[in-house]
Amino acid sequence: MIIQKILPVAVIFLCLNIIQKTVSQFICTSGDIFRDEVATCTCRDFTTGGSCTNRCPVGPTNCAAALSGIFLADCMSDCTSVQNKDCDACGIWLHSLCVCQQNASFCAWENSQGESWVKLAGQNLATTNEPIHNILALQTHPSLAITGWDFGQQISDPSSQGLAINPVRTVTQDQIHMHICSINPAMRTFLTSKSTSALSTYSTLQPIQLTPQFKQPRGSDTMWCLASQTKNSPISGNAIYGAINSVLQMHGICNYYVGAAVVRDGNGYTWGCVTADSGDAEHRFLLNC
């Protein structure tokens, strides 16, 4: 009699265990990630080998020749689209962010609830838990844009590390991401010379002519920068956000070329710079990203 009672219970327990294991093998969807409901699913691999071959525009542009580097299955949508779930361009959203949601202590979060930036586990990158394409889309979310630059300076070592967000033309991930890497010593030296000779000039956004080592074949040969006026202090995210907007509104600027960076020079002054050419911000301002 006891055995007869135990057997049904054991069978039920076994079935529940099998169901739980089966559920845990489901791949987390974009909706799961957006709602932060990823406890019982498996995060997708960063790359899938997905054959997403449509080279996509990622918003209005005033220079159609500057194509983006994003390849998706459905160009009309972003990484929240089911059709784009296997696209390699969605690795940050469908893998890296998902991993941080499942293992919050592995990552550095700006906020524990609501919209937030997060430093990704094992990567020199930070992103948001909101589906935002790129730097142009980020500028339409002022709160996240401003806090992103502030957050990046808080979680990095400004004495040796800088921040960069690449222009639309050069990104390959369809999710906003900030690079956090070692400062390019050539750029540090270049900006140090500017703060040594005329620091107060850069209390507001000013043009700086790029030297040959930093010039690119297309776009502007000028970058626009402003600098903190106190040593070893951050530059406000609001100032960087405003600088990007100012450059985007300049005549003749291709919006797909606009990128930005924050670095500290050899004199201890923090610079926020905006570029507008065919190169990326990551390799111009940083190293080993």
Side-chain angles (χ1 to χ4, degrees):
M1 181 68 70
I2 293 175
I3 293 176
Q4 288 178 333
K5 289 183 178 180
I6 291 175
L7 279 175
V9 173
V11 170
I12 292 171
F13 178 81
L14 179 62
C15 290
L16 288 174
N17 192 41
I18 292 172
I19 291 171
Q20 185 176 11
K21 287 183 177 179
T22 302
V23 170
S24 69
Q25 293 172 358
F26 290 161
I27 300 298
C28 301
T29 67
S30 178
D32 296 331
I33 295 166
F34 186 74
R35 295 186 299 272
D36 194 4
E37 297 175 352
V38 296
T40 59
C41 57
T42 300
C43 296
R44 197 203 81 170
D45 290 341
F46 190 91
T47 58
T48 66
S51 56
C52 300
T53 56
N54 294 323
R55 190 173 191 178
C56 301
V58 289
T61 180
N62 56 2
C63 47
L67 295 172
S68 87
I70 298 296
F71 288 84
L72 297 171
D74 175 14
C75 283
M76 298 303 293
S77 300
D78 55 23
C79 290
T80 62
S81 167
V82 173
Q83 289 179 262
N84 293 331
K85 66 182 178 63
D86 294 322
C87 297
D88 287 347
C90 293
I92 287 179
W93 177 259
L94 292 173
H95 171 79
S96 303
L97 176 60
C98 180
V99 169
C100 285
Q101 290 176 327
Q102 287 187 336
N103 307 277
S105 62
F106 290 4
C107 307
W109 290 83
E110 176 209 353
N111 291 317
S112 59
Q113 294 182 337
E115 67 177 26
S116 177
W117 280 82
V118 55
K119 169 69 167 58
L120 301 175
Q123 299 183 62
N124 297 321
L125 296 173
T127 191
T128 70
N129 61 356
E130 296 290 322
I132 296 174
H133 289 289
N134 50 59
I135 191 170
L136 298 181
L138 183 63
Q139 287 297 108
T140 68
H141 294 76
S143 177
L144 276 173
I146 292 167
T147 57
W149 294 108
D150 290 334
F151 176 69
Q153 291 175 85
Q154 292 165 9
I155 60 169
S156 61
D157 177 2
S159 67
S160 61
Q161 294 178 305
L163 317 174
I165 298 182
N166 285 328
V168 167
R169 178 188 174 275
T170 65
V171 294
T172 56
Q173 285 289 312
D174 194 37
Q175 172 65 14
I176 186 67
H177 54 283
M178 175 183 289
H179 294 267
I180 305 171
C181 304
S182 299
I183 299 170
N184 182 341
M187 180 57 76
R188 185 199 292 270
T189 298
F190 182 58
L191 292 175
T192 299
S193 69
K194 300 298 180 183
S195 69
T196 299
S197 62
L199 174 66
S200 61
T201 301
Y202 298 99
S203 61
T204 59
L205 191 67
Q206 299 295 327
I208 295 178
Q209 190 75 16
L210 292 168
T211 57
Q213 71 184 118
F214 298 123
K215 287 183 180 180
Q216 295 295 315
R218 294 182 299 280
S220 176
D221 58 4
T222 299
M223 68 177 179
W224 294 264
C225 300
L226 70 166
S228 64
Q229 300 297 295
T230 305
K231 286 189 176 185
N232 302 317
S233 64
I235 192 163
S236 76
N238 188 59
I240 307 302
Y241 168 75
I244 296 169
N245 271 347
S246 293
V247 173
L248 284 170
Q249 293 167 13
M250 292 179 183
H251 177 72
I253 294 297
C254 171
N255 61 351
Y256 270 32
Y257 283 166
V258 173
V262 170
V263 295
R264 187 164 292 177
D265 70 17
N267 290 327
Y269 297 105
T270 306
W271 291 77
C273 294
V274 183
T275 54
D277 59 28
S278 56
D280 62 34
E282 169 191 355
H283 294 100
R284 176 178 286 145
F285 291 91
L286 309 177
L287 285 178
N288 304 320
C289 274

